[in-house]
Amino acid sequence: MARKHGSKGPNQLSAIEARNLSKEPGLHTDGGGLYLRVGKDGRQCSWLAIYHFHGRRREMGLGSYDKVSLKRAREKAADVRAQVADGIDPIAVRKSKKTMPTFGDLADEWIKKKSANVRGRKSIPRYKRALGEEGYAKALRAMRIDTVTGEDVLAVIQPIWVDRLTTAKTLRTYLFDVFDIAKARKYRIGENPAAWEGLLKAELELESSSRVSKKHHAAMPWRDIRGFVEKLRSRSGLPARALEFLIRNANRTTEVLEMKVGEVELGRKPVWTIPGDRMKSGRQHEIRLSKRSVEMLKHVDRRAKRTPLAG
């Protein structure tokens, strides 16, 4: 149909014409690639956009006639034409939106994969505190991964940047990893919103400049260690014994505090075997125990079910 009616554009239908044609089987044009398609029985009437992309004819449904007005159908057809003009396939865009995951979807996937290869038991709770349903980034979880902006990321990091700087930096790293997955799968294009350079650096360095520098305890001079250990020996209680044991065997705190009775063999050659899941390296480690270490262990309540030195 090729008509001109008053101020309407070429081929455009009036509302009355569209209503009348909605009962006539066939494909009726409104111009600009917009068509009203009516089934053979006069039912199943819907709007259709027809366009060509890379030389291929494409048809894209725009909604049923009874739910989408003529005006709205023209607006949708205009969006289709604009995307094609920009070298974008509207059907591909629609498919990507239907399958587009939320930030929470990818965050949960990241947590699951990281947890499967984790060495320390403390790591999994840390992942969940950062990205889980009640984590620091919970405000992002319901958002589609392609809609999250640098401002959104800043909003979840900034509140903890001053008081929990290490946690905030770790959170930013985790966020960066999740968005990197989104980019690799073509869910996002452009810069990673959790990248340090740019908005985050500009805003958070201002916060850091006003932050009081964190002071760490100075390392004890090696000449003072002997006297310190002698003072520890004069104290009773498990905390003093645990610290002395740690110093004598050069362990990490969690290795000592999570020691189990079954890990220690107090035979002719006393040895403590630390399982790989408690070692930073992930490998089982054996420590030959000194006479003093054995004395301390023998005085610990052997009925302790989990932690001989920490109680």
Side-chain angles (χ1 to χ4, degrees):
M1 302 178 67
R3 305 187 184 89
K4 293 184 180 180
H5 300 278
S7 60
K8 296 185 299 177
N11 300 329
Q12 282 192 326
L13 303 171
S14 67
I16 295 176
E17 287 175 324
R19 185 167 60 250
N20 292 335
L21 289 171
S22 68
K23 305 297 182 182
E24 296 184 17
L27 192 63
H28 312 288
T29 181
D30 183 63
L34 176 63
Y35 292 82
L36 183 64
R37 179 159 59 187
V38 184
K40 293 180 179 181
D41 57 359
R43 300 177 182 179
Q44 299 177 338
C45 181
S46 61
W47 298 106
L48 179 72
I50 298 179
Y51 63 95
H52 287 79
F53 192 79
H54 293 325
R56 180 185 175 190
R57 175 187 165 99
R58 305 279 273 161
E59 297 184 1
M60 178 176 174
L62 302 179
S64 62
Y65 173 77
D66 60 340
K67 293 183 179 180
V68 178
S69 68
L70 175 59
K71 179 181 179 182
R72 180 61 183 138
R74 285 172 178 164
E75 291 172 348
K76 289 187 173 186
D79 289 339
V80 169
R81 293 195 299 272
Q83 289 182 74
V84 173
D86 289 336
I88 300 171
D89 185 356
I91 291 178
V93 171
R94 173 179 286 181
K95 287 181 179 179
S96 69
K97 288 182 177 179
K98 286 182 178 180
T99 59
M100 186 66 67
T102 64
F103 172 85
D105 293 332
L106 290 188
D108 287 344
E109 182 181 334
W110 182 88
I111 291 173
K112 184 177 180 180
K113 288 183 177 179
K114 290 283 286 186
S115 299
N117 300 308
V118 73
R119 290 174 177 173
R121 287 176 291 178
K122 292 184 178 181
S123 297
I124 297 175
R126 185 167 64 245
Y127 300 153
K128 293 181 178 179
R129 282 196 300 271
L131 305 179
E133 292 183 0
E134 297 301 323
Y136 293 117
K138 62 182 179 182
L140 305 180
R141 288 185 58 86
M143 300 176 66
R144 274 183 21 178
I145 193 68
D146 62 329
T147 65
V148 182
T149 65
E151 287 78 8
D152 296 323
V153 172
L154 177 64
V156 301
I157 297 177
Q158 199 165 31
I160 61 172
W161 186 257
V162 173
D163 297 329
R164 304 175 190 173
L165 182 59
T166 300
T167 299
K169 287 182 175 180
T170 299
L171 173 60
R172 188 200 69 80
T173 300
Y174 293 169
L175 291 170
F176 186 93
D177 289 347
V178 174
F179 290 118
D180 235 20
I181 294 172
K183 288 187 66 177
R185 296 181 183 176
K186 309 300 182 184
Y187 293 138
R188 294 185 61 95
I189 58 174
E191 294 298 322
N192 187 314
W196 175 245
E197 295 297 329
L199 176 65
L200 297 187
K201 181 177 181 181
E203 293 293 333
L204 297 176
E205 279 193 341
L206 291 176
E207 299 278 353
S208 298
S209 64
S210 61
R211 182 175 183 270
V212 178
S213 298
K214 182 178 180 180
K215 295 183 179 180
H216 296 274
H217 292 292
M220 179 182 292
W222 65 269
R223 293 182 180 85
D224 297 340
I225 294 177
R226 184 186 183 93
F228 179 76
V229 171
E230 289 177 354
K231 289 182 179 179
L232 274 180
R233 293 188 64 170
S234 68
R235 295 190 178 187
S236 60
L238 287 174
R241 296 292 72 73
L243 180 55
E244 183 184 349
F245 191 91
L246 179 149
I247 293 170
R248 289 183 178 278
N249 294 285
N251 298 118
R252 295 166 62 234
T253 305
T254 55
E255 292 167 6
V256 174
L257 295 184
E258 297 180 7
M259 178 194 294
K260 297 177 178 64
V261 173
E263 295 172 2
V264 180
E265 291 289 339
L266 297 179
R268 182 166 166 270
K269 294 182 178 181
V271 65
W272 171 28
T273 303
I274 308 174
D277 62 2
R278 289 222 314 281
M279 293 297 299
K280 191 173 184 180
S281 65
R283 297 189 298 272
Q284 179 177 292
H285 180 58
E286 290 187 354
I287 297 178
R288 295 290 182 181
L289 297 175
S290 67
K291 182 179 179 180
R292 173 57 185 166
S293 294
V294 172
E295 288 176 357
M296 285 188 285
L297 290 176
K298 285 182 175 180
H299 284 84
V300 170
D301 183 358
R302 299 305 297 270
R303 291 174 300 175
K305 295 180 179 180
R306 178 173 180 271
T307 314
L309 285 179

